[in-house]
Amino acid sequence: MLARPVIHAYRAAEPGLCVNGYLVEGESSVVAVDSSLLRSDIEALCARLRALRKPLAAVFVTHAHPDHYNGVHALVAAGDVPVYATRAVAETIARIADAKRAQWGPVYGDEWPAETHVPDLPLHDGEQVTVDEMLLTVFEAEPAESHADSYITMQAGGAEPVAFIGDLAFSGMHPYTADAHSGDWLDELTALEDDLAGIRTLYPGHGAPAGLGLLADQRRYLMHYREVITRLSGGRPSLTAAALDELSATMQAFLPGAPLTWMIGLGATAVAGELAARQAEA
Ligand SMILES: [Zn+2]
């Protein structure tokens, strides 16, 4: 007999931001953690779920970005499935979903799902949900990679506890920084090293599972990114085209061969603005 639960990951290709939708297979049902961005990937994720031949018992959404929540509507379409998130994550999704669709719908066309399912069961920090003998605990994080982040630990039977960390750390990929919380994100990563001590496997929103060292890796990346932007912007809230090219080359040398290189430039102006505002405050 297989040890339960089994964690399956559907990882999208680069157009779908390599996002991981997790299907956690228990004895008699499945729990989904996050989903996918694009309709083709969401359909593939739903096909993986059907192939498990067990009902979906719950969905958890780690944070307020469409590559994680876009597929929830399709996942729960077949039945009355509870969708959990922290209150801040649920409220932020409700607030930003239309704007995200307006921004990215024209870019992705039919690949952008027509409907959003906002998590309907808000949880407070530390609240626990038991599904199919799997104990899931949701923890609120500071706004870090998005405007509302969280992570989820899971304990089941004699198995080692694991954590689903959403995008609090990317594994071997360039991260999204355009929500301009990189300073708070660094603080959150430091806090997480203590909060997650004792957990040996982290399941990130992008890239392969890894140990706690993933948090330090993400911190080093963000520190380097901020240092380079500080130097190139000269304290201004924007970067020249030449500076953007240099930033991109520098970060690609920092993380050679890593996917999602366009994220480097996508968040540069936001982080330059964040750093300039911090300097003005000081
Ligand atoms: Zn993501």
Side-chain angles (χ1 to χ4, degrees):
M1 198 177 91
L2 277 171
R4 299 293 180 201
V6 179
I7 300 172
H8 308 271
Y10 174 76
R11 184 186 299 176
E14 195 154 0
L17 307 183
C18 310
V19 65
N20 292 317
Y22 290 108
L23 298 174
V24 184
E25 183 186 3
E27 283 292 342
S28 58
S29 62
V30 179
V31 172
V33 179
D34 291 339
S35 58
S36 216
L37 177 73
L38 304 177
R39 271 179 57 187
S40 51
D41 284 315
I42 292 163
E43 283 167 19
L45 174 66
C46 290
R48 299 286 177 93
L49 171 63
R50 286 193 298 276
L52 296 177
R53 302 174 67 87
K54 293 178 182 175
L56 182 66
V59 179
F60 288 76
V61 180
T62 58
H63 67 288
H65 274 157
D67 49 330
H68 301 262
Y69 67 70
N70 260 10
V72 173
H73 185 267
L75 277 172
V76 303
D80 190 15
V81 179
V83 180
Y84 297 98
T86 65
R87 183 171 299 280
V89 169
E91 287 177 355
T92 304
I93 292 170
R95 182 162 55 80
I96 67 165
D98 287 348
K100 291 285 184 191
R101 181 173 286 107
Q103 180 184 4
W104 294 108
V107 176
Y108 289 102
D110 283 350
E111 277 280 52
W112 197 270
E115 289 178 79
T116 302
H117 186 106
V118 175
D120 30 38
L121 287 161
L123 301 173
H124 60 72
D125 183 41
E127 193 164 347
Q128 301 187 316
V129 178
T130 301
V131 185
D132 200 7
E133 294 178 39
M134 298 179 273
L135 175 66
L136 296 118
T137 311
V138 176
F139 295 95
E140 211 152 41
E142 290 300 310
E145 194 260 348
S146 76
H147 297 314
D149 290 281
S150 74
Y151 61 96
I152 299 156
T153 61
M154 184 182 76
Q155 209 145 14
E160 278 196 13
V162 300
F164 298 94
I165 59 167
D167 287 358
L168 290 168
F170 283 63
S171 184
M173 297 187 195
H174 296 280
Y176 178 90
T177 55
D179 284 351
H181 302 297
S182 68
D184 291 334
W185 190 353
L186 284 170
D187 294 341
E188 183 62 43
L189 285 164
T190 302
L192 272 180
E193 282 188 334
D194 291 334
D195 296 345
L196 291 174
I199 290 189
R200 286 200 277 197
T201 310
L202 308 180
Y203 287 88
H206 302 259
L212 279 188
L214 191 62
L215 304 173
D217 289 346
Q218 185 65 81
R219 194 169 56 224
R220 275 190 289 274
Y221 182 105
L222 290 174
M223 288 173 76
H224 194 59
Y225 187 68
R226 284 161 55 98
E227 286 156 11
V228 176
I229 289 176
T230 299
R231 175 170 63 78
L232 292 173
S233 68
R236 285 179 296 276
S238 61
L239 294 177
T240 64
L244 280 172
D245 287 345
E246 188 179 338
L247 174 68
S248 181
T250 306
M251 296 316 297
Q252 288 187 62
F254 185 86
L255 213 55
L260 306 185
T261 53
W262 66 285
M263 293 290 169
I264 302 168
L266 184 72
T269 304
V271 173
E274 183 191 346
L275 294 168
R278 184 157 297 201
Q279 215 170 34
E281 274 172 29

